[in-house]
Amino acid sequence: RGLCFLFATMAQQFDQVDANHDGVISREEFAAAMGTSTAAPSTSCPACGNIYMADSLFCRHCGRPRDGAAAAPATTYAAPMMMEPVTAGAPMTYSAPATTYAAPATTYAAPATTYAA
């Protein structure tokens, strides 16, 4: 009963939301199921009957261009601006640090006492 019951219940719920039974839940169908409103739809598509949203340029169902839809504004791209190199005064130079080594201060000599066997 587990998964089969779950899938049957899900299919029933989908069919309740999908009012026109086209297998697609539109914004209007979803909004009606949730009890909210969407943007006011304007006309419907003459090819398939799907309801256009107010700002759509194409039919969401069949892809047909909407009659009288304004073309999308052209996008203009500009070349990036060239920037001047940043300098901070005199150029930097890199070299090894000046290291000097002094001779050790202590010297070692032979022991003053010898032991004979």
Side-chain angles (χ1 to χ4, degrees), residues 4 12 16 22-23 37 42 50 54 58 62 66 71 82 89 100 115 117:
C4 292
Q12 290 170 351
Q16 287 176 351
D22 62 350
S37 63
S42 58
N50 190 46
F58 296 92
C62 70
R66 185 174 178 176
M82 299 299 295
T100 57
Y115 298 97

Side-chain angles (χ1 to χ4, degrees), residues 7-94:
F7 288 132
T9 304
M10 289 171 45
Q12 290 170 351
Q13 290 175 348
F14 183 86
D15 288 338
Q16 287 176 351
V17 174
D18 185 21
N20 60 0
H21 302 291
D22 62 350
V24 178
I25 297 177
S26 67
R27 289 182 187 178
E28 293 81 17
E29 291 169 335
F30 182 79
M34 295 292 117
T36 60
S37 63
T38 60
S42 58
T43 60
S44 60
C45 177
C48 69
N50 190 46
I51 298 174
Y52 287 126
M53 293 300 293
D55 60 345
S56 64
L57 298 176
F58 296 92
C59 176
R60 291 186 321 264
H61 188 68
C62 70
R64 182 180 185 274
R66 185 174 178 176
D67 294 333
T75 304
T76 305
Y77 296 98
M81 294 179 53
M82 299 299 295
M83 297 184 68
E84 295 295 323
V86 178
T87 57
M92 296 189 67
T93 58
Y94 297 96

